Amino acid sequence: MSNIEQTVMTFPAKPEYVGVVRLVVSGIANRMGYTYDEIEDIKIAVSEACGNAVQHAYDDAEGEVKLTCGVFMDRLEMTIEDSGKTFADDVKRQAAPVEETAEIESLHEGGLGLFLIEALMDDVSINKDNGVRVTMTKLLNRDEVDQSASKISTTPSQ
């Protein structure tokens, strides 16, 4: 299926802009017909991806983060990318669920954002060439109950 609409936004890699990105993505998802819970999931995933870029990509130097939203009939694809430094491969490994028997000293800080993104999105890919690019896909389930349905039937349809 071809991309039918695309929105691109570049913003400074500063924490105060993460909320703006959340609002933009929320508006696009709402217009597409996602449910309230799905929009909240999308906002959390986008916040985590943007937060990672803002916090880790440029250290104390200035930089930019780019958001691209691809609006398809059946899904929303969001790409967050920076041209800063990448993260180590062990960050993703640290994001794995913690065993109840694990010693507290063995627990690592960080990596929870990637775990959340993968849990909330239908597909996630991470490219670490020339910075970090996180592409997240949320499918649009239009087969659920139609919000404009005027009645509910308890008998099977034939």
Side-chain angles (χ1 to χ4, degrees):
M1 180 173 288
S2 65
N3 186 342
I4 57 173
E5 291 180 359
Q6 187 175 49
T7 300
V8 179
M9 175 181 170
T10 302
F11 60 96
K14 296 181 178 179
E16 55 265 33
Y17 287 93
V18 175
V20 175
V21 173
R22 285 173 51 99
L23 289 172
V24 169
V25 172
S26 174
I28 292 171
N30 184 47
R31 189 178 58 79
M32 291 178 67
Y34 284 96
T35 66
Y36 174 82
D37 289 340
E38 291 169 331
I39 292 171
E40 290 301 309
D41 290 349
I42 291 168
K43 287 167 50 181
I44 290 170
V46 166
S47 292
E48 291 295 331
C50 288
N52 286 341
V54 166
Q55 185 175 3
H56 302 293
Y58 301 105
D59 291 326
D60 293 329
E62 292 191 13
E64 292 184 330
V65 179
K66 180 179 174 184
L67 163 72
T68 304
C69 292
V71 176
F72 295 80
M73 291 296 295
D74 61 344
R75 67 190 182 278
L76 175 59
E77 287 185 3
M78 298 149 289
T79 300
I80 306 292
E81 57 187 302
D82 63 66
S83 56
K85 67 179 187 177
T86 186
F87 56 83
D89 287 331
D90 62 344
V91 169
K92 190 169 183 179
R93 189 171 49 250
Q94 293 171 6
V98 176
E99 298 291 329
E100 288 183 31
T101 58
E103 296 291 328
I104 195 162
E105 293 82 21
S106 69
L107 300 178
H108 300 278
E109 184 177 333
L112 185 59
L114 293 174
F115 177 73
L116 274 174
I117 291 169
E118 290 184 339
L120 297 173
M121 296 289 105
D122 294 305
D123 186 53
V124 177
S125 66
I126 299 173
N127 182 308
K128 298 187 296 183
D129 297 333
N130 301 320
V132 176
R133 183 174 51 239
V134 179
T135 301
M136 306 169 287
T137 301
K138 187 71 171 176
L139 299 176
L140 182 58
N141 298 316
R142 294 182 192 265
D143 294 336
E144 296 180 2
V145 175
D146 186 1
Q147 294 180 1
S148 62
S150 59
K151 62 181 182 178
I152 298 173
S153 174
T154 57
T155 58
S157 60
Q158 297 178 9

